[in-house]
Amino acid sequence: MRGERSAERSSERARSGAPSGASALTRSRVRLDQPRQDRRKLLPEYDPEAFGRLSERVARFLGTGRFIVWMTLVIVVWVLWNIFAPDHLRFDRYPFIFLTLMLSLQASYAAPLILLAQNRQDDRDRVTHEQDRKQNERSIADTEYLTREIAALRMGLGEVATRDWIRSEFQDLIKEMDERRLFPGESDEGDR
């Protein structure tokens, strides 16, 4: 019997790829080069983004005048029904405890949904702020680069012959040539 069990175990190890002399410690070791196997979870899984979008829609609706009008109508109909309806059709007597319970229940769900929607908005604002900050940094870097380039161009223009400078040089040459024509002997001797 024992021989059969050990033969079965060794054949199972051979099929699973485990070494035949592997200890219990080696077999239970987690392999980091392979993805984990899915485990059963006690709580149901849900998509947090879908839940967040739903909470934003609910919070957006709770912040409208339409919600206030509908809530007011429901409360007025509730109170009027439970005051003026026949006794056997009334479901919430004068202190309106069930109405208070329903309003408390609505408030207990509305507050966390509104907070969740605000947290999601804060996260979006934080991301937008970070993107704006990075864009501002890029704009400042670009502006500084362009400022340096313009300064370099201005410095380079100091060494470049401009049209006005060339005109003034030509005018000086023309004057000098005119003077040489008027006084030909003096200018030739001055050049030597």
Side-chain angles (χ1 to χ4, degrees):
M1 195 75 160
R2 284 185 184 175
E4 291 175 6
R5 286 185 195 160
S6 65
E8 287 176 12
R9 286 184 196 146
S10 63
S11 65
E12 286 177 16
R13 284 187 205 133
R15 278 183 266 155
S16 66
S20 59
S23 67
L25 218 157
T26 316
R27 278 185 267 141
S28 66
R29 201 177 337 173
V30 177
R31 301 238 4 218
L32 298 177
D33 62 336
Q34 295 177 352
R36 261 186 168 172
Q37 292 181 355
D38 290 339
R39 294 182 182 176
R40 280 188 151 183
K41 297 184 180 180
L42 297 176
L43 298 175
E45 292 186 28
Y46 68 95
D47 181 17
E49 283 300 310
F51 189 74
R53 286 190 298 270
L54 174 68
S55 68
E56 286 178 342
R57 285 200 322 255
V58 169
R60 204 171 292 124
F61 175 69
L62 291 177
T64 62
R66 180 185 300 171
F67 172 75
I68 293 172
V69 168
W70 280 109
M71 186 64 123
T72 304
L73 286 174
V74 166
I75 292 171
V76 166
V77 167
W78 187 299
V79 169
L80 292 177
W81 179 267
N82 286 296
I83 289 175
F84 297 114
D87 283 341
H88 67 281
L89 293 178
R90 293 181 191 173
F91 56 89
D92 194 14
R93 300 268 175 213
Y94 163 65
F96 304 119
I97 294 172
F98 190 53
L99 175 63
T100 306
L101 175 68
M102 294 307 292
L103 291 174
S104 298
L105 183 67
Q106 183 268 333
S108 68
Y109 275 100
L113 288 175
I114 290 170
L115 288 175
L116 180 63
Q118 286 176 344
N119 289 341
R120 285 176 51 91
Q121 184 63 42
D122 287 344
D123 292 342
R124 278 195 300 273
D125 290 345
R126 191 176 304 111
V127 168
T128 303
H129 177 70
E130 183 66 24
Q131 289 172 347
D132 288 347
R133 189 185 61 76
K134 287 179 182 177
Q135 181 63 37
N136 287 342
E137 287 176 358
R138 284 192 297 267
S139 297
I140 289 171
D142 290 346
T143 304
E144 288 175 354
Y145 172 76
L146 290 174
T147 303
R148 286 191 302 271
E149 289 297 314
I150 289 172
L153 285 173
R154 283 184 178 171
M155 289 172 57
L157 278 178
E159 299 170 4
V160 174
T162 63
R163 190 182 333 170
D164 294 335
W165 182 79
I166 292 173
R167 257 192 213 134
S168 68
E169 289 296 315
F170 279 142
Q171 288 173 356
D172 290 344
L173 283 173
I174 291 171
K175 285 180 186 177
E176 190 177 325
M177 288 172 59
D178 286 342
E179 289 175 4
R180 284 186 183 178
R181 284 190 202 147
L182 292 176
F183 309 106
E186 293 178 14
S187 61
D188 287 339
E189 291 173 9
D191 289 340
R192 292 182 188 169

